[in-house]
Amino acid sequence: MSRPIPVEVVPSHVHLSESHLQVLFGDGNGGTVRHELSQTGQFAYEEAVDVVGANGESIVLRVLGPHRKVTQVELTPTEARLLGIDAPLAKSGDLASAQTCTLRTAHGTIEATASVIVPKCHLHLSDTEAISLRLTNGATVRVDVVGDTSRVIEDVAVRVHPTYRARLHIHSDVARDVWLHSGSHVRVRDIQG
Amino acid sequence: MSRPIPVEVVPSHVHLSESHLQVLFGDGNGGTVRHELSQTGQFAYEEAVDVVGANGESIVLRVLGPHRKVTQVELTPTEARLLGIDAPLAKSGDLASAQTCTLRTAHGTIEATASVIVPKCHLHLSDTEAISLRLTNGATVRVDVVGDTSRVIEDVAVRVHPTYRARLHIHSDVARDVWLHSGSHVRVRDIQG
């Protein structure tokens, strides 16, 4: 029996490319770090952006850092429906079928093409944690909830990196459907496919 | 300095009256308990319901038990906007300005008038925890995030009951705005108003 892994319900957020960050935060303003996240080296900026759908609806999301090669907007299905965006369920970084939105601040506006996804549930593991669980980067697993193994989450993408800490990351619609929150833990049940 | 209190991002959900429960679960079906919640005596049913707005949009929410005197639907502002419901920010049980939705299952449909609110952030405390914090039921406080006192949540309603455990309950839009998730803790900063 593998050890319990904490669940983190990750709020929807935006990653910006360096050039988009300059437009949206204002030239020469690198942004202000607000606080660090649980994964080493990741942080939230003080700055937020309006994410606007083609239907004109918008929500405000925090920007996470450090900046990335390409801009990526991670929404829940509920938020995507509100904004009229047909966002695909995808792994972070897999923007092949990602959709378009407009990002807006007081400093500027950009059209972020191929940026919007609904993030797949994923399991962060350090190298040593992955070895002890006999899992490799890119594997797909099922996890169940500690104390209630009838609650199973399928199709969880395993992501391994030396800097990672063992965490299941889900978005808040999954938390609502499965009823998971702070203090919830999961265990890896088996490898899928 | 008061001790850290765990944050729970409570997923949106429905409380049903006994008569509504009978219609929506089917007569003679008291519902199936799926798992217990952190607050003593509270649980989630196996059963879920469609919450339908006047605009025809719908989302699926879990039903929590035990049943209540009156039906109450707790949404995030994002969900309320999607369903076209102008839900007021209110304390649980304060349905004076609550709005209407339709609740639907395979067994039946009801119009739930004066049921829909956006729940105010609230702090559950046991009697002894309230005494040690010098707080009383109905007080309003500000809390800040342990490790980052720049993140403050205002207008938090204090709810005291012998069966409660110290928890800050927030909905997922607050979690998104303030960036709080599993493992986050808060401290009571001061009493407001």
Side-chain angles (χ1 to χ4, degrees), chain A residues 6 16 25 27 34 40 59 75 121 151 158 180:
Chain A
L16 292 177
F25 288 6
D27 278 340
R34 192 179 196 216
T40 315
I59 59 174
L75 300 180
C121 297
R151 281 186 282 166
V158 174
L180 287 170

Side-chain angles (χ1 to χ4, degrees), chain B residues 179-192:
Chain B
W179 200 274
L180 287 170
H181 54 63
S182 317
S184 296
H185 288 71
V186 294
R187 281 201 177 90
V188 175
R189 189 183 182 109
D190 52 18
I191 297 178
Q192 280 186 290

Side-chain angles (χ1 to χ4, degrees), chain A residues 62-187:
Chain A
R62 300 229 149 257
V63 178
L64 301 191
H67 62 74
R68 291 199 177 179
K69 282 194 180 161
V70 288
T71 290
Q72 179 171 304
V73 179
E74 302 183 27
L75 300 180
T76 66
T78 298
E79 292 162 343
R81 282 172 62 194
L82 175 65
L83 302 183
I85 301 173
D86 189 21
L89 184 68
K91 290 184 190 179
S92 181
D94 175 7
L95 301 177
S97 54
Q99 296 298 301
T100 297
C101 70
T102 300
L103 299 176
R104 193 174 56 199
T105 66
H107 295 286
T109 301
I110 57 160
E111 177 154 310
T113 53
S115 67
V116 186
I117 62 169
V118 172
K120 280 182 87 158
C121 297
H122 54 274
L123 179 60
H124 287 272
L125 295 173
S126 72
D127 291 34
T128 50
E129 288 160 341
I131 289 167
S132 87
L133 288 167
R134 297 176 193 200
L135 293 173
T136 52
N137 190 53
T140 301
V141 296
R142 295 194 300 178
V143 301
D144 53 38
V145 178
V146 172
D148 178 11
T149 53
S150 72
R151 281 186 282 166
V152 177
I153 304 176
E154 311 236 350
D155 203 20
V156 175
V158 174
R159 292 165 60 179
V160 181
H161 193 274
T163 64
Y164 285 168
R165 297 163 64 184
R167 292 285 188 283
L168 179 72
H169 278 184
I170 61 173
H171 61 66
S172 59
D173 278 16
V174 171
R176 192 181 70 190
D177 295 343
V178 184
W179 200 275
L180 287 170
H181 54 64
S182 316
S184 296
H185 288 72
V186 294
R187 280 202 178 88

Side-chain angles (χ1 to χ4, degrees), chain B residues 57-153:
Chain B
E57 295 281 352
S58 70
I59 59 173
V60 181
L61 293 187
R62 300 229 149 258
V63 179
L64 300 191
H67 62 74
R68 291 199 177 179
K69 282 193 180 161
V70 289
T71 291
Q72 179 171 304
V73 179
E74 302 183 26
L75 300 180
T76 65
T78 297
E79 292 162 345
R81 283 171 63 193
L82 175 65
L83 303 183
I85 300 173
D86 189 20
L89 184 68
K91 290 184 191 180
S92 180
D94 175 8
L95 301 177
S97 54
Q99 295 298 302
T100 297
C101 69
T102 300
L103 299 176
R104 192 173 56 198
T105 67
H107 295 287
T109 301
I110 57 162
E111 177 155 309
T113 52
S115 68
V116 186
I117 62 169
V118 172
K120 280 181 87 157
C121 297
H122 55 275
L123 180 60
H124 286 272
L125 294 173
S126 72
D127 291 36
T128 49
E129 288 161 341
I131 288 167
S132 87
L133 288 168
R134 299 177 192 200
L135 294 174
T136 52
N137 190 53
T140 302
V141 296
R142 295 195 299 177
V143 300
D144 54 38
V145 178
V146 173
D148 179 10
T149 54
S150 72
R151 281 185 283 167
V152 177
I153 304 176

